[in-house]
Amino acid sequence: MASPSNVASSPGGSGHFKRTVGFYGLMFISLGSIIGSGWLLGALNAAKAAGPASLISWVLAAAMLSVLALIHAELGAAYPVAGGTARFPLFAFGSITGFIAGWAAWLQAVAIAPIEVEASLAYLDNIGWVKDNLHLLNEDGTLTASGFGWASLLMVIFTLVNIVGVKLLSESNTITVLWKTAVPLLTVLVLLPLSFHGANFSAGGGFMPFGFHGVFAALPLGVVFALQGFEQCIQLAAEAAQPKKDLSRAVLVAMGIGAVVYILLEIAFIGSLDPAALVNGWANPIAKGDFGPYATLAIAAGAGWLAYILYVDAFISPAGTGLIYVGTSARLTYALGRDRQIPGVFGKLSVRGVPLWSIVLAFVIGELSFAPFPSWSQLVSVVTSATAVMYAFAPVSLAALRRRDADRERPYRTPFPAVLAPLGFVFANLIIYWSGWDVNYKIGYAIVFGLIVFAITRAFQKPENRAKLDLKAAQWVVPWFVGMILLGWLGRYSSDTDHSPLNILPDGIDVLVIAVFSLAIFYWAVACARPTADVVAAVEQEHAELEQQPEINTA
């Protein structure tokens, strides 16, 4: 579940963040974000792409994101500021790099609510009465006209709740997360003894029917999306009671629990499939048109009562996450507005402390997301790539800040930083690459659009109000992302047959090329970081301004 405080501080306002959130509150915030709609649909998509080897996909994703989690843990403890994922690159590389990182964070956050809405509708469509009377989904899983209507209604509800500033959900976050964790674990405990078929792990072409290409292709189809979100407690750092003690532990514990839960779920899913459905391969391990896989398996195993629990959870868990992410994306928009990086109207609060125009913008963009991405699977790949872009800024920021801000107290230190920092950047770039060329060039367009908004906003500002761009420190950013798009075009991954890549880079060689390119960019970026005096001044200014940050009232 998203943090209710994804805000970057900036001048103005009154009041300040209250440091009241303890270890368990922080841990549950990250765990609630990790366990969302990904568990409901991720296993099915992964099995279709990789067969039984989808287990490797989950283990690989857990390992890659764990490295990134270790990096975020050090940054969050050393720099306990609100909206850290956008602030760390700002400290190290200046305002325009910080804006791009913040824009990427906003892109992924604004799409979460539509994803969770689509997940809820996908599962509920498996209920007989809903399927016969509401007609939410087409056979390929995309929204029908009726589905668009119901999806829009849910988005309206999420928006209205955030506008009135209801905090019931965030205040009961611990209970919500316990429910969200208990239901998947209950599913595993019920399915394994009732319907486990060990032979399924070698059926339909063997354990790895699609080779490593299938293992990698499964990652952006819901696997990485399911495990992402560990950084949410770091976004809440400004409200943590003991950030230097609790943040790193909260990140690592949440990541560990999430990884174990998802791997157990994939084992239970594959083992519980009807062996007859796998005779001809993994294209349709569950009946075509069925988008409630665990509920179907529960009914087949004679545990119909579990199916009803799953249907309830399919609404409660995604809807709760979607509700919070409308507030999250609104807070990120508000932060960019307060920083004068986008029009100032988005940096204003109503008399109730609600970022009204930011919430309205989140609703509008969320609604627009349904048109080009009318199914959970299609939108998940976009969010996965945007999230990986956001994550990629952390390893270079860690290395740069360790060099330029070496005297800073670091309550938690990432082990083997000389290895894990560049490795984390490589991992983030591989996730971007595996998300597909067709997804990444669209992310590129979205970032260019953001930069146009940034430039127009600056053009209407008085010269004395314009932040220094730090173009020298940011010189690596454009070559990095343009290079990633070009390598994707030369590569082998795409979910859109109308925009297929050239398939020039062979399997295995493509991974090596991405790794070498990533390392070159990494060391270039670290060398470009701002001077020590600028970094220290930016951090101190951030802490001073944080004391004047107004308290925002959303869900």
Side-chain angles (χ1 to χ4, degrees):
M1 184 170 298
S3 154
S5 297
N6 258 359
V7 184
S9 58
S10 51
S14 60
H16 58 277
F17 286 114
K18 298 176 181 178
R19 292 190 178 274
T20 58
V21 184
F23 165 75
Y24 287 104
L26 293 168
M27 190 272 288
F28 280 125
I29 285 166
S30 282
L31 184 59
S33 183
I34 291 170
I35 300 179
S37 66
W39 88 266
L40 295 169
L41 299 168
L44 173 60
N45 286 351
K48 286 183 176 181
S54 54
L55 283 172
I56 299 177
S57 302
W58 288 99
V59 173
L60 178 61
M64 296 172 81
L65 293 183
S66 292
V67 170
L68 291 164
L70 290 170
I71 291 167
H72 279 81
E74 174 172 331
L75 288 169
Y79 304 93
V81 297
T85 50
R87 310 316 281 177
F88 307 143
L90 183 146
F91 296 155
F93 302 104
S95 63
I96 193 165
T97 304
F99 170 77
I100 294 172
W103 188 257
W106 179 79
L107 288 175
Q108 64 92 25
V110 79
I112 295 293
I115 281 181
E116 301 302 322
V117 166
E118 288 177 342
S120 285
L121 297 182
Y123 244 81
L124 294 176
D125 192 61
N126 287 276
I127 299 174
W129 184 90
V130 173
K131 195 176 190 71
D132 295 337
N133 293 278
L134 299 184
H135 310 292
L136 299 176
L137 300 182
N138 294 307
E139 189 173 335
D140 62 355
T142 57
L143 294 173
T144 63
S146 173
F148 276 113
W150 286 101
S152 297
L153 177 61
L154 286 175
M155 288 294 295
V156 168
I157 293 172
F158 296 166
T159 301
L160 291 176
V161 168
N162 276 277
I163 287 176
V164 299
V166 175
K167 292 189 175 182
L168 290 177
L169 186 62
S170 58
E171 289 172 356
S172 61
N173 186 55
T174 298
I175 296 173
T176 304
V177 176
L178 288 174
W179 163 271
K180 291 170 67 174
T181 307
V183 173
L185 287 175
L186 176 65
T187 302
V188 171
L189 293 174
V190 171
L191 290 180
L192 284 179
L194 288 180
S195 59
F196 188 78
H197 307 284
N200 286 356
F201 290 88
S202 57
F207 178 74
M208 195 180 290
F210 308 107
F212 277 105
H213 182 88
V215 171
F216 299 149
L219 293 175
L221 298 180
V223 176
V224 170
F225 172 79
L227 287 166
Q228 64 99 15
F230 59 82
E231 78 288 350
Q232 288 302 328
C233 72
I234 291 173
Q235 311 287 31
L236 197 66
E239 297 173 62
Q242 301 183 71
K244 296 181 178 181
K245 174 184 177 183
D246 293 337
L247 278 174
S248 57
R249 291 191 302 144
V251 169
L252 299 178
V253 170
M255 188 69 219
I257 293 173
V260 170
V261 169
Y262 279 118
I263 291 169
L264 289 174
L265 280 166
E266 188 72 25
I267 292 172
F269 176 78
I270 293 174
S272 298
L273 291 170
D274 180 0
L278 306 177
V279 172
N280 296 317
W282 289 86
N284 291 294
I286 297 287
K288 190 174 182 180
D290 186 337
F291 299 98
Y294 286 106
T296 299
L297 294 176
I299 293 171
W305 59 270
L306 176 60
Y308 287 108
I309 292 177
L310 291 171
Y311 288 137
V312 172
D313 182 68
F315 180 77
I316 291 177
S317 293
T321 303
L323 172 64
I324 290 297
Y325 262 98
V326 170
T328 296
S329 53
R331 286 165 174 270
L332 284 166
T333 310
Y334 168 80
L336 294 172
R338 292 279 296 178
D339 279 345
R340 304 188 186 96
Q341 294 178 327
I342 61 175
V345 66
F346 296 111
K348 296 180 179 180
L349 301 178
S350 72
V351 293
R352 292 174 52 85
V354 175
L356 179 61
W357 290 109
S358 296
I359 291 174
V360 171
L361 180 64
F363 168 75
V364 172
I365 300 300
E367 281 289 289
L368 293 176
S369 300
F370 289 130
F373 308 107
S375 73
W376 186 87
S377 298
Q378 292 174 352
L379 194 49
V380 157
S381 294
V382 175
V383 171
T384 298
S385 181
T387 303
V389 172
M390 177 183 73
Y391 285 162
F393 284 98
V396 290
S397 298
L398 175 68
L401 290 170
R402 274 198 167 212
R403 178 181 296 186
R404 297 289 198 263
D405 195 22
D407 295 333
R408 179 80 47 189
E409 180 187 1
R410 299 176 188 276
Y412 172 81
R413 289 182 172 270
T414 302
F416 311 108
V419 175
L420 292 190
L423 188 62
F425 190 66
V426 171
F427 285 166
N429 284 328
L430 284 172
I431 293 170
I432 294 171
Y433 171 68
W434 290 327
S435 295
W437 137 258
D438 59 315
V439 169
N440 292 328
Y441 81 78
K442 294 172 185 175
I443 296 291
Y445 285 148
I447 291 176
V448 169
F449 177 76
L451 289 172
I452 292 173
V453 173
F454 177 82
I456 292 174
T457 303
R458 281 180 61 87
F460 284 92
Q461 291 173 346
K462 295 179 180 179
E464 61 269 21
N465 291 334
R466 295 173 186 166
K468 183 181 177 183
L469 289 177
D470 294 295
L471 292 176
K472 182 177 179 181
Q475 63 182 282
W476 60 276
V477 177
V478 172
W480 160 54
F481 200 70
V482 170
M484 286 302 303
I485 293 175
L486 290 176
L487 289 175
W489 183 47
L490 297 173
R492 313 181 63 81
Y493 293 86
S494 174
S495 58
D496 185 352
T497 55
D498 293 330
H499 297 85
S500 297
L502 298 180
N503 289 325
I504 291 176
L505 297 175
D507 274 330
I509 299 298
D510 56 348
V511 172
L512 180 61
V513 170
I514 295 295
V516 171
F517 174 76
S518 299
L519 291 174
I521 294 293
F522 176 87
Y523 291 110
W524 180 22
V526 173
C528 290
R530 295 202 292 177
T532 296
D534 291 350
V535 172
V536 172
V539 175
E540 296 308 317
Q541 180 182 1
E542 183 80 10
H543 286 298
E545 292 172 353
L546 190 61
E547 295 302 317
Q548 298 301 315
Q549 181 68 40
E551 184 175 356
I552 300 178
N553 186 24
T554 72

